Amino acid sequence: MTTSGSAGTPRRLMLADHVYDELLGSLVDGKYPPGSPLSIDGLSRELDVSQTPIREALARLESTGLVRRTALKGYRVAPLFTTADLADLTEARMVIEPVNAFRACERVTDGFVDQLRQTIADLASSPTGPSFTEFRAYWAADERFHQLIAEHADNAFLLSAYEALGGQIQRFRLFAGLGVTDAEHAIAEHSAILDAFAAGDSEGAREAMKRHIGGVKGRSLNESIDRET
């Protein structure tokens, strides 16, 4: 039965979110191989929902880089990142995120430091894999740390550039079945950034973010090389 009006809208949104979550988990866990087509009709039957929430979910997933849409051909699972892709992505992060850290630290407040500290506590308490269900909370805390800094930098253009990266930042983890392998390093690097914010050291925050992005680059490239060999 089709619902309408304000009562139907929350249920429709809940269904759309549920379908998005189901597809996201399946993509991250490698249920659909890289490069394989994603049939809207087939997914509709598989998840026992209409095609509308499938279309909405795939459009959202396209913005993360996990799926790609080709005119007249529909959606496909994005291919795995190559080492060149990873290098390019971290280069883009190195341009954007240290500036975000510097600007955000110039505007630091005790409340903001507390928010960052909470994300690190969440990282430390979250399971790390290997399935998406297991490392999803870790992923979310990691994203929240960087998103908070991007928002607090108070520059709409920098924020837009950061958000354009979308889920690309985490894609090096996908399809490997390893979960999170660098939690100890990442938590230490986030903590160094937090220390700079707590001290009101804008230049220190910039440099700590550079070291973090550099660390992520080195670890992700090593994982990529291991996977390719």
Side-chain angles (χ1 to χ4, degrees):
M1 180 176 64
T2 302
T3 59
S4 61
S6 59
T9 298
R11 285 194 289 271
R12 187 186 71 78
L13 293 176
M14 287 176 63
L15 177 61
D17 287 342
H18 171 72
V19 171
Y20 175 83
D21 289 344
E22 286 288 317
L23 291 178
L24 177 62
S26 294
L27 286 163
V28 172
D29 286 338
K31 179 178 179 180
Y32 309 118
S36 63
L38 294 168
S39 163
I40 291 175
D41 183 56
L43 292 172
S44 174
R45 292 195 302 270
E46 179 182 330
L47 298 179
D48 194 25
V49 297
S50 71
Q51 293 186 6
T52 298
I54 299 293
R55 289 193 180 93
E56 292 174 352
L58 289 173
R60 288 174 63 186
L61 288 165
E62 185 181 12
S63 70
T64 70
L66 297 175
V67 303
R68 293 181 180 177
R69 184 176 182 274
T70 304
L72 304 178
K73 294 184 179 180
Y75 290 96
R76 287 184 178 273
V77 180
L80 288 173
F81 263 11
T82 65
T83 53
D85 292 331
L86 287 166
D88 287 347
L89 175 60
T90 51
E91 183 178 349
R93 292 186 68 185
M94 193 66 81
V95 171
I96 297 167
E97 295 200 65
V99 177
N100 281 343
F102 181 90
R103 288 181 55 87
C105 192
E106 289 185 318
R107 297 158 176 78
V108 72
T109 63
D110 290 343
F112 179 67
V113 170
D114 288 342
Q115 286 181 297
L116 293 181
R117 184 175 288 112
Q118 182 60 54
T119 69
I120 296 172
D122 292 342
L123 284 176
S125 64
S126 296
T128 55
S131 72
F132 182 60
T133 299
E134 292 172 284
F135 71 78
R136 182 171 190 168
Y138 180 97
W139 185 349
D142 186 35
E143 288 188 319
R144 190 162 64 253
F145 179 86
H146 290 275
Q147 182 74 27
L148 282 168
I149 292 173
E151 291 172 352
H152 205 72
D154 195 29
N155 183 307
F157 296 102
L158 283 171
L159 179 60
S160 178
Y162 170 79
E163 290 182 336
L165 298 176
Q168 307 280 2
I169 290 174
Q170 298 284 4
R171 278 184 62 202
F172 70 87
R173 301 192 194 282
L174 305 189
F175 311 115
L178 300 175
V180 179
T181 59
D182 65 340
E184 183 178 349
H185 295 288
I187 290 169
E189 289 160 3
H190 281 208
S191 296
I193 296 168
L194 173 66
D195 289 344
F197 273 100
D201 180 2
S202 299
E203 191 58 46
R206 187 209 306 263
E207 292 304 313
M209 182 64 80
K210 284 183 179 179
R211 289 192 294 273
H212 174 45
I213 302 301
V216 170
K217 178 180 181 179
R219 295 189 294 273
S220 60
L221 284 174
N222 286 337
E223 284 188 13
S224 178
I225 291 168
D226 289 344
R227 186 189 67 219
E228 290 175 358
T229 57

